[in-house]
Amino acid sequence: MTAQLEQETVSAHHQWVWMDGNMVSAEEASISVTTQAFNYGTAVFEGIRAYRDNRSGQLNVFRLGDHVERLLNSARLLMIHDLPSRQAIENSILELLVKNEANQDCYIRPVAFKKNLLPKMGFGVKLSGISTGFSVNSLNMPSRQSVQGISCSVSAWRRVPDTAMPVRAKITGSYVNSALAMEAAMNGGHDDAIMLNIHGCVSEATTSNIFMVKNERLITPPLHAHILDGITRNTVIQLAGTYLNCDIEERDILPSELYAADECFLTGTGREITPVRKIDQYELNSDQECSLTLKLKSLYMKAVRGEMNDVGHWLTAVGSRDI
């Protein structure tokens, strides 16, 4: 990492962090090397975005309640107990953004984690008998405005199956799978990797769900394809069905179908809607001006920026609650 890029990355992080019920400076927000989650990957997290409404200047968190609900479900699967209530977590996120004086597009990362062994609990890998930690940090993250597509490879690394680890939970340890696939893709000159599941069907990219378009039909792997139940994925399905009158299929996709697709795009909080212009050696039309991909991307950006009244309930205004 260059010195300039490192400085930009550091400065993007906000000054204050929510840590175990207290607001502390980022410098003070640290954990011990004996923390269970640090040693065994036993933490769950969410990635949440807040967008600025360019007409009013209001900062809104996108689908806050849905993200917090998924965080709590992930925590339940990993037996992370004693977390604040859903309402309290939502309030802590909103309070943090106010404290950090956030007024532009940003990213919020709540993490619930296994902390310390309780008294009389023996050393070892386990989920019970361990205290709980909870933190929230935030940073500036501009939206991906460019419509330029990315290049993906189909990875040799398979998506971790639900029989090995709950795929509907965002567990920190499971992202080793994504990191391995991403490194292999980048070393091959690609921007991301598409992983297959244990049955050889398309699963998802390293940090995002995947859609393909064939003969104007929108097709995406079903939840039983060992994928994350993505909130952006759900948003796209709703927008496509309601506003574009699209036929949507949730079914298994073979790799050769993906190579023969008309378009392909990735969805996720970080990725938003990202066109895929090439998969291995096969070119696609995803970032062409009249593509369904770009129509959905345009709709999505209007929704997150508060330009669609019908989906205004997806937005939570920062500073709107008396906390």
Side-chain angles (χ1 to χ4, degrees):
M1 182 182 291
T2 65
Q4 181 181 357
L5 180 56
E6 185 173 20
Q7 180 60 38
E8 289 175 354
T9 303
V10 170
S11 61
H13 283 83
H14 294 163
Q15 180 182 359
W16 297 97
V17 172
W18 185 273
M19 192 84 180
D20 292 333
N22 299 299
M23 201 76 75
V24 301
S25 69
E27 291 78 11
E28 295 177 286
S30 60
I31 61 173
S32 166
V33 294
T34 61
T35 301
Q36 290 281 301
F38 175 71
N39 284 272
Y40 304 121
T42 47
V44 298
F45 70 98
E46 275 296 314
I48 308 171
R49 272 190 185 261
Y51 291 90
R52 179 185 168 93
D53 181 333
N54 291 327
R55 300 167 303 174
S56 65
Q58 173 66 51
L59 187 68
N60 298 305
V61 182
F62 186 64
R63 299 194 69 167
L64 174 60
D66 295 315
H67 280 286
V68 173
E69 182 177 354
R70 189 171 65 181
L71 176 74
L72 291 172
N73 286 333
S74 296
R76 181 171 179 267
L77 286 168
L78 218 58
M79 297 174 62
I80 299 176
H81 306 304
D82 303 323
L83 283 172
S85 67
R86 171 176 169 167
Q87 188 69 42
I89 292 175
E90 289 185 17
N91 288 345
S92 68
I93 289 170
L94 296 172
E95 186 177 348
L96 178 70
L97 293 177
V98 171
K99 178 74 173 177
N100 279 320
E101 300 179 350
N103 60 5
Q104 56 184 295
D105 294 353
C106 59
Y107 182 88
I108 305 117
R109 169 57 60 85
V111 183
F113 57 98
K114 292 290 185 184
K115 198 171 183 181
N116 299 318
L117 289 169
L118 296 175
K120 299 182 181 180
M121 292 302 299
F123 185 82
V125 181
K126 62 187 74 174
L127 294 177
S128 59
I130 303 169
S131 64
T132 293
F134 179 66
S135 69
V136 186
N137 69 86
S138 58
L139 66 154
N140 293 333
M141 182 180 283
S143 173
R144 294 170 179 265
Q145 298 294 333
S146 172
V147 296
Q148 185 175 7
I150 63 171
S151 169
C152 293
S153 64
V154 175
S155 180
W157 293 101
R158 296 291 177 101
R159 167 70 167 156
V160 174
D162 193 63
T163 50
M165 192 178 296
V167 296
R168 61 184 58 252
K170 289 179 72 71
I171 299 172
T172 56
S174 71
Y175 278 75
V176 170
N177 183 218
S178 299
L180 288 167
M182 186 56 138
E183 282 297 323
M186 290 193 299
N187 283 330
H190 299 280
D191 302 299
D192 206 335
I194 295 168
M195 289 185 283
L196 308 182
N197 60 30
I198 56 172
H199 304 297
C201 294
V202 173
S203 182
E204 57 185 25
T206 56
T207 58
S208 48
N209 293 120
I210 184 168
F211 287 79
M212 59 171 269
V213 179
K214 186 67 177 179
N215 297 329
E216 300 183 351
R217 296 182 70 84
L218 193 57
I219 307 168
T220 190
L223 295 181
H224 66 247
H226 305 271
I227 67 170
L228 179 72
D229 187 1
I231 292 170
T232 310
R233 173 183 180 275
N234 174 272
T235 301
V236 165
I237 290 173
Q238 293 194 52
L239 292 176
T242 303
Y243 296 96
L244 298 179
N245 198 28
C246 279
D247 291 326
I248 304 164
E249 294 182 29
E250 294 184 64
R251 64 165 175 80
D252 290 327
I253 299 173
L254 295 172
S256 59
E257 284 188 276
L258 201 58
Y259 289 140
D262 299 324
E263 305 171 30
C264 176
F265 59 91
L266 307 182
T267 65
T269 298
R271 282 277 186 207
E272 298 173 318
I273 295 178
T274 299
V276 177
R277 61 174 174 76
K278 186 177 182 181
I279 303 174
D280 290 328
Q281 68 271 34
Y282 298 98
E283 303 278 352
L284 306 176
N285 298 317
S286 315
D287 56 359
Q288 298 300 306
E289 188 174 354
C290 59
S291 69
L292 180 58
T293 300
L294 294 193
K295 290 177 183 174
L296 280 166
K297 182 180 176 68
S298 176
L299 269 177
Y300 180 78
M301 295 314 301
K302 288 179 180 177
V304 300
R305 294 218 182 272
E307 297 174 15
M308 297 175 67
N309 291 334
D310 290 348
V311 295
H313 59 280
W314 281 342
L315 306 179
T316 302
V318 176
S320 63
R321 293 184 184 176
D322 185 15
I323 300 171

